[in-house]
Amino acid sequence: MALSGVEIFKLLPKTNCKKCGHPTCLAFAMKLAQRQASLDQCPDVSEEAKKILGEASAPPIRSITFGSGDRAVKIGEETVLFRHDKKFVNPCALAVEIKDTLSEGEITKKIEEVLASEIDRVGQKLRVDAIALTNASGDKGKFESAAKLIASKAPNVPVILSTTDPASAEAAVKLFAGKKPIIYGANSGNAEAMANIAKTEKAILGVVANGLDELSTLTEKIKALGVEDMVIDSGAKKAEEMLENNTMIRRAALKKNYKPFGYPVINFAQRDDSLHEALIASVGITKYASIIVVSGIEKWKNLALFTLRQNIYTDPQVPMQVEQKIYKIGEATPDSPLTITTNFSLTYFIVSGEIENSKVPCRLAVMDCEGLSVLTAWAAGKFTASKIATFIKESGIENEVKHRELIIPGYVAILSGSIEDKLEGWKVTVGPREANGLPAFLKARTA
Amino acid sequence: MAFTAPKETYSGKVYNVTIGTGERAASFGGENVLPFLPFEGTIPNKPLIAYEIQDVPPTDWPENVQKPFSSVSGDPVTWAKFCQDTLKAKAIALRLIGTHPDRENRSPEDAAKTVKDVLSAINVPLIILGSNNAEKDAPVLIAAAEAAKDKNCILGKAQEANYKTIAAAAMANNHKLIAMSELDINLSKQLNILITQMGFDKERLITDPMCSALGYGLEYTYSVMERIRLAALTQNDLTMQPPMLADVGMYVWKIKETQAPESDVPSWGNAEERGIAWEATTAAALLMAGAELLIMRHPKAVEAVGKLIEEL
Ligand code: SF4
């Protein structure tokens, strides 16, 4: 549990020496309690205090950086169970499995797919984050040579090395020195050996158990052996069990501050049926996985999973907005109609979708109204005649279109006269109230 | 530190709703836990998936979702039978889209006849949906409700602008009712209250907080659903306890990701598989948020979601 300011104060040197940049030890303690300061700012704090405070102030789910450099992914650090309470912090990483039983050519092909998986979606770059090499052969030499191939072809991609054999793990992990790979496969049989390797090689340790009880014992044991960075797997494979265990782990970590489960969760979603696999991965994305391993990365599947992850990890407090500009939909010519709406992303998506459906090429002017929908923006005085007129004038659209006609949403029909007054030479046409009226409306105009 | 599972018990419970008549009647809702967490409560029913059909040929549907129905969709009766008999649908959702003034503008009488014909051809439960034109839906759904009297259908959707007439029609003819509002838990609650104030039994309601497709506002629907379900369970809020509908197919099969051919966007991969995955993923996410009734289109997406539900 988090300590109060006074409890923290009792552990500080109480000399008020100001070296921490705060006037008194108490002031510093208050800042610490609010997580606005970090303990290392006080040079004189005792080792014992460090230990107590360090544990109490650690986030309930450890933050781990997986991989290194540009493609490193941060995982863990989650603070809530439901996304409407607060933004989910670190989007779960998607990893694709490569079995060491594949031929060199097949492995190379999969690596290339991972490297080429990047897609741009509403301004964010989305991609397969990691490769999970599994020791399906059970052979150390095969595992090592597959690892070598990955290390040379995809040197920047974070890697999960999946094997229960410590010697194989050790041989492979050395190929990724300084790159923070995950060694996955510490279990109750090999925990000491695996922990030693992870510690020496500065790798993250993936811990797998048979159920939650065993998992909690294992993480405590491994922590006592000196490994801090772990990702945990309850061993669940079936969707129901995965959901139950992921939920228990997240609840225990957040609501009970239960330290043995204060680590990011890794789920294995591999299925023979690729679509089924996508849906199992969807369960993991919505419910608490920090890493999901899949077997296939068809482009359509990537797109769906990336998009779901993006949706679930969006900040619920900030209305999603799209950029203010004039969007061309279809092969718009200088004679194509010009419509206007606000920059609330949902409004934009629905309106642009309906225009696309109409198959009538159009220009859609999207005006910055701080992410409000048409009616709300109008009511809040952000979608007014003068603001619309200014936006249209400054947009430079007059050089792009031959006509001077602006179609406004039916909900703000009341604005048509005053826009015409303020926008000289323009005619304002009132469009349908709901976006689903747009196809008929646009088609009727061209008929 | 030994591990004790942090289980929750909730004071509230979702209403158990049964639709249809006879052997093929189907139930959904009824649970007193969050979605698919049976270890801390009871989940008497699995979510129900209804196949969407419509009163006019689906020329407005993208090619890839028209195809599976191309030999049957010329006539709603054949289409309904195909879904029931060949696709093993557990329920059918008939959308009277042809009644929309901007479409074929079919009359309420025509709509009623379609409803009658479909009902006499199937024995699984029927969901009757208007064209989502608030004005026209009122007379259309009144006629449809009468045509389906005592068949224990679901009638929808009642919205703020037209709920009075539609709720009255559902009540008079013994149907369940979908209450739809736009992505706001308070609006949902308010509409449910307004409808029950008319004397409509709250245990016969289905809440539709409005669906959104993956990538097109899905997170709004997802969170409104989670909040509604939490209000039902943790606060025992009776107005939030009707089961929830996710009207997935209609919202998914109109966006770019379910239509654009691979040649236009090579990085998006195969268009048909993409469309199916889009519908199935949207449905899966909303199941996790608490939807108990789904309306879907593509047989392969329905099958995949069914398979997921089996594993949950
Ligand atoms: S540096 Fe340490 S001892 Fe000095 S005032 Fe700050 S908290 Fe107190």
Side-chain angles (χ1 to χ4, degrees):
Chain A
M1 283 306 130
L3 298 177
S4 71
V6 175
E7 285 168 315
I8 296 172
F9 170 69
K10 288 183 187 149
L11 297 163
L12 293 176
K14 301 196 198 72
T15 57
N16 298 335
C17 74
K18 301 191 175 58
K19 280 186 257 178
C20 58
H22 296 274
T24 60
C25 293
L26 183 62
F28 181 55
M30 292 302 172
K31 289 282 171 200
L32 280 176
Q34 295 160 20
R35 304 223 169 137
Q36 289 170 355
S38 128
L39 189 61
D40 41 335
Q41 288 168 261
C42 170
D44 302 326
V45 72
S46 72
E47 280 307 313
E48 196 214 339
K50 252 189 218 166
K51 191 163 171 277
I52 300 172
L53 285 170
E55 263 170 29
S57 65
I61 297 174
R62 192 172 170 83
S63 155
I64 293 178
T65 303
F66 169 32
S68 65
D70 279 359
R71 295 192 61 135
V73 281
K74 239 180 136 189
I75 51 174
E77 239 183 332
E78 298 302 331
T79 58
V80 292
L81 280 151
F82 301 103
R83 66 173 294 282
H84 58 258
D85 285 332
K86 208 167 168 216
K87 184 178 184 293
F88 281 4
V89 185
N90 291 313
C92 69
L94 289 170
V96 62
E97 177 186 36
I98 296 183
K99 291 184 175 148
D100 68 355
T101 43
L102 296 180
S103 72
E104 199 178 312
E106 288 166 325
I107 295 179
T108 308
K109 190 168 161 269
K110 279 214 157 187
I111 295 171
E112 277 160 6
E113 280 171 8
V114 172
L115 292 173
S117 65
E118 193 166 284
I119 296 173
D120 196 273
R121 195 170 194 289
V122 274
Q124 284 183 25
K125 291 208 185 313
L126 310 169
R127 64 184 167 217
V128 173
D129 304 281
I131 290 173
L133 172 66
T134 49
N135 190 197
S137 67
D139 179 79
K140 179 171 164 237
K142 282 219 168 95
F143 192 59
E144 204 183 338
S145 54
K148 260 194 198 127
L149 200 56
I150 293 167
S152 72
K153 303 241 181 219
N156 302 318
V157 177
V159 169
I160 301 167
L161 300 163
S162 173
T163 177
T164 48
D165 172 41
S168 302
E170 188 168 23
V173 75
K174 288 191 187 301
L175 303 166
F176 301 91
K179 290 186 179 166
K180 270 279 188 145
I182 294 173
I183 303 172
Y184 169 87
N187 56 32
S188 48
N190 64 14
E192 281 88 2
M194 289 296 219
N196 275 329
I197 299 166
K199 220 167 106 179
T200 324
E201 305 296 333
K202 300 200 168 47
I204 301 158
L205 193 56
V207 182
V208 54
N210 241 321
L212 295 175
D213 280 331
E214 192 187 64
L215 185 63
S216 68
T217 320
L218 258 180
T219 58
E220 291 219 292
K221 178 171 166 185
I222 289 168
K223 187 172 181 224
L225 292 166
V227 175
E228 302 271 356
D229 287 341
M230 286 180 245
V231 293
I232 57 178
D233 176 11
S234 67
K237 290 280 181 290
K238 212 178 143 236
E240 178 185 355
E241 232 184 314
M242 206 173 98
L243 176 63
E244 173 178 339
N245 290 352
N246 286 7
T247 305
M248 286 294 112
I249 289 171
R250 176 75 69 96
R251 272 193 206 159
L254 295 184
K255 298 176 87 168
K256 311 270 182 213
N257 204 22
Y258 185 66
K259 289 295 175 194
F261 287 167
Y263 303 96
V265 165
I266 183 168
N267 283 154
F268 290 81
Q270 300 103 312
R271 295 290 189 281
D272 291 335
D273 170 347
S274 188
L275 179 56
H276 188 49
E277 177 173 286
L279 299 190
I280 301 296
S282 303
V283 172
I285 291 172
T286 51
K287 293 294 169 189
Y288 316 139
S290 286
I291 302 178
I292 296 171
V293 181
V294 294
S295 59
I297 49 166
E298 296 85 349
K299 287 174 181 165
W300 53 265
K301 182 156 91 185
N302 286 347
L303 187 68
L305 294 181
F306 293 164
T307 307
L308 180 60
R309 175 175 65 175
Q310 187 178 43
N311 284 174
I312 294 297
Y313 282 83
T314 301
D315 190 339
Q317 256 97 43
V318 183
M320 279 227 310
Q321 304 182 12
V322 289
E323 192 193 337
Q324 159 165 313
K325 70 175 198 192
I326 295 179
Y327 293 80
K328 273 193 193 176
I329 299 176
E331 304 288 321
T333 67
D335 294 313
S336 300
L338 172 67
T339 57
I340 187 165
T341 192
T342 67
N343 74 330
F344 177 40
S345 60
L346 201 52
T347 303
Y348 166 75
F349 284 145
I350 294 172
V351 172
S352 62
E354 293 293 356
I355 295 177
E356 253 172 57
N357 281 349
S358 76
K359 307 260 184 324
V360 178
C362 263
R363 279 185 177 74
L364 175 61
V366 171
M367 189 172 134
D368 181 2
C369 297
E370 294 167 30
L372 299 176
S373 67
V374 169
L375 266 184
T376 338
W378 171 73
K382 297 186 196 308
F383 197 56
T384 61
S386 53
K387 285 184 179 161
I388 293 172
T390 314
F391 168 53
I392 291 294
K393 261 185 230 149
E394 289 174 359
S395 69
I397 188 69
E398 296 189 328
N399 303 322
E400 259 185 67
V401 295
K402 283 205 200 127
H403 62 79
R404 293 286 178 269
E405 183 192 11
L406 179 65
I407 301 166
I408 62 170
Y411 275 119
V412 290
I414 192 169
L415 297 179
S416 62
S418 44
I419 298 175
E420 280 180 354
D421 289 347
K422 294 186 170 77
L423 207 52
E424 219 172 291
W426 281 75
K427 171 175 178 282
V428 172
T429 301
V430 176
R433 287 159 73 96
E434 296 291 346
N436 65 14
L438 274 168
F441 174 83
L442 291 170
K443 277 186 217 155
R445 288 170 48 97
T446 49
Chain B
M1 244 197 292
F3 176 66
T4 33
K7 291 192 187 174
E8 305 269 2
T9 43
Y10 301 103
S11 50
K13 177 173 172 262
V14 178
Y15 297 125
N16 192 332
V17 172
T18 301
I19 56 172
T21 56
E23 266 179 36
R24 300 297 302 268
S27 301
F28 51 94
E31 70 274 13
N32 63 353
V33 286
L34 288 174
F36 308 104
L37 298 178
F39 61 92
E40 54 192 7
T42 50
I43 304 181
N45 303 301
K46 297 212 178 261
L48 180 66
I49 307 177
Y51 266 100
E52 177 175 349
I53 67 169
Q54 56 186 40
D55 58 343
V56 291
T59 46
D60 53 323
W61 292 16
E63 173 74 36
N64 282 326
V65 68
Q66 274 192 40
K67 247 190 322 189
F69 306 105
S70 57
S71 59
V72 294
S73 58
D75 163 49
V77 173
T78 327
W79 192 354
K81 278 185 78 68
F82 173 76
C83 291
Q84 173 184 281
D85 300 336
T86 308
L87 301 175
K88 308 287 172 228
K90 295 197 175 94
I92 286 166
L94 168 64
R95 201 180 299 278
L96 299 164
I97 193 75
T99 61
H100 197 288
D102 295 343
R103 299 275 308 245
E104 289 78 355
N105 202 12
R106 297 178 78 229
S107 68
E109 295 71 37
D110 288 347
K113 178 162 189 317
T114 306
V115 168
K116 260 210 158 75
D117 292 347
V118 168
L119 271 171
S120 60
I122 60 170
N123 53 12
V124 294
L126 185 68
I127 301 168
I128 305 166
L129 302 165
S131 65
N132 211 16
N133 178 294
E135 258 166 67
K136 183 74 182 280
D137 275 0
V140 166
L141 290 175
I142 291 173
E146 284 165 3
K149 189 172 175 61
D150 295 328
K151 294 283 188 175
N152 196 18
C153 299
I154 301 179
L155 202 63
K157 301 170 175 178
Q159 306 183 42
E160 201 195 335
N162 62 12
Y163 72 91
K164 281 193 182 143
T165 36
I166 298 175
M171 209 161 22
N173 298 286
N174 294 320
H175 299 303
K176 308 294 192 294
L177 178 70
I178 299 167
M180 181 180 112
S181 47
E182 295 189 2
L183 289 176
D184 182 316
I185 184 173
N186 296 314
L187 292 180
S188 265
K189 189 177 158 81
Q190 191 192 345
L191 183 59
N192 287 356
I193 291 173
L194 288 172
I195 291 173
T196 47
Q197 277 171 351
M198 292 174 56
F200 195 92
D201 181 358
K202 58 187 178 304
E203 301 194 23
R204 300 175 68 88
L205 273 177
I206 291 122
T207 300
D208 179 2
M210 197 166 119
C211 190
S212 334
L214 175 62
Y216 294 80
L218 176 71
E219 68 273 28
Y220 296 93
T221 301
Y222 181 93
S223 280
V224 173
M225 282 189 170
E226 270 199 334
R227 291 180 61 199
I228 289 177
R229 183 55 73 245
L230 283 166
L233 298 179
T234 60
Q235 296 156 29
N236 196 15
D237 182 340
L238 303 183
T239 62
M240 300 269 73
Q241 289 176 343
M244 291 186 286
L245 164 71
D247 193 357
V248 176
M250 179 177 87
Y251 286 88
V252 164
W253 291 101
K254 66 176 182 190
I255 59 164
K256 203 170 166 194
E257 279 80 351
T258 56
Q259 314 203 21
E262 186 169 8
S263 52
D264 282 7
V265 254
S267 66
W268 285 4
N270 182 285
E272 185 171 7
E273 288 177 291
R274 188 194 325 129
I276 294 166
W278 220 261
E279 185 173 27
T281 307
T282 303
L286 295 178
L287 283 175
M288 300 316 294
E292 285 97 350
L293 176 63
L294 305 173
I295 298 176
M296 298 179 64
R297 289 183 179 172
H298 202 291
K300 286 200 175 136
V302 173
E303 187 194 313
V305 173
K307 202 165 152 190
L308 174 70
I309 291 172
E310 283 310 311
E311 208 186 303
L312 276 165

